[in-house]
Amino acid sequence: MAGEQANYDVAFNLLKEGRYPQAADAFNRFLQQYPSSRLAPNAQYWLAESQYVARNYDVSLAEFRKVVGQYPGNPKVPDALLKIGYIHSEKQQWTEAKAALERVIQEYPGSGSADLARQRLNRLQNTNQVMLGDARTGKVRTVLTERDSTWVDVVDEVTWLDGGKSFT
């Protein structure tokens, strides 16, 4: 156990020092040496986090998925799901981001991760689409899409003008 803890501490200290590539290597070595350790779920999470802060999103995504898949029930799972949502958001994969963040809220509703997921979901509401529908055919098409990372639509009421021919 002493060797496990010492190796874990070395990796974690590298992470705290901002030496992300070295931390990732150290966590990888730890997981290879001690795959059944009680510290393995945390090591897997911090390995993923070291890749995330270095903006290696594809690698990080795979590593966070290991936390979720290999350590179900571990306290790091909600945090890993949250980061999966963040990564998809960074990659502008909005559907995947929303799904991951909603999963955090559904499965871990009282957690700090769920609170952060709600905040991120609110930020993802940054697209306005105006659609035009043909009453005869039932076909709908988008005629305008606006996207702004800081835009939040706080009014959801439509005011019809000209006898329903136009709106504000």
Side-chain angles (χ1 to χ4, degrees):
M1 178 59 187
E4 287 178 38
Q5 187 67 54
N7 282 325
Y8 179 86
D9 290 344
V10 166
F12 195 74
N13 287 331
L14 288 167
L15 180 67
K16 289 193 303 187
E17 292 169 6
R19 298 169 60 193
Y20 305 123
Q22 296 89 343
D25 289 343
F27 281 121
N28 263 321
R29 281 193 305 277
F30 177 88
L31 289 165
Q32 288 171 359
Q33 285 182 293
Y34 308 103
S36 302
S37 169
R38 66 174 180 77
L39 298 170
N42 283 1
Q44 183 64 55
Y45 177 85
W46 292 117
L47 167 59
E49 183 69 21
S50 65
Q51 296 291 349
Y52 177 78
V53 295
R55 302 179 68 83
N56 297 325
Y57 294 134
D58 291 334
V59 175
S60 181
L61 183 61
E63 299 300 340
F64 279 123
R65 285 181 174 152
K66 287 179 187 176
V67 174
V68 175
Q70 293 178 8
Y71 307 104
N74 186 277
K76 287 292 186 194
V77 170
D79 298 332
L81 285 169
L82 178 69
K83 289 299 176 79
I84 289 169
Y86 283 5
I87 291 167
H88 284 301
S89 180
E90 291 292 335
K91 296 176 73 172
Q92 298 183 357
Q93 297 169 335
W94 309 120
T95 302
E96 294 89 344
K98 186 178 177 196
L101 296 169
E102 286 177 345
R103 182 175 172 193
V104 175
I105 294 166
Q106 289 285 323
E107 293 182 19
Y108 307 94
S111 69
S113 294
D115 292 340
L116 293 171
R118 281 185 203 89
Q119 290 174 14
R120 182 58 67 104
L121 279 170
N122 286 339
R123 282 189 227 138
L124 292 179
Q125 296 177 23
N126 63 355
T127 302
N128 181 36
Q129 288 187 318
V130 177
M131 300 176 148
L132 183 62
D134 185 325
R136 287 172 292 179
T137 65
K139 291 186 180 182
V140 178
R141 65 183 173 96
T142 302
V143 294
L144 173 69
T145 301
E146 296 175 314
R147 182 178 293 275
D148 188 320
S149 62
T150 60
W151 176 45
V152 177
D153 184 36
V154 294
V155 179
D156 60 359
E157 297 176 10
V158 175
T159 304
W160 289 95
L161 305 171
D162 301 325
K165 295 179 183 172
S166 60
F167 59 90
T168 61

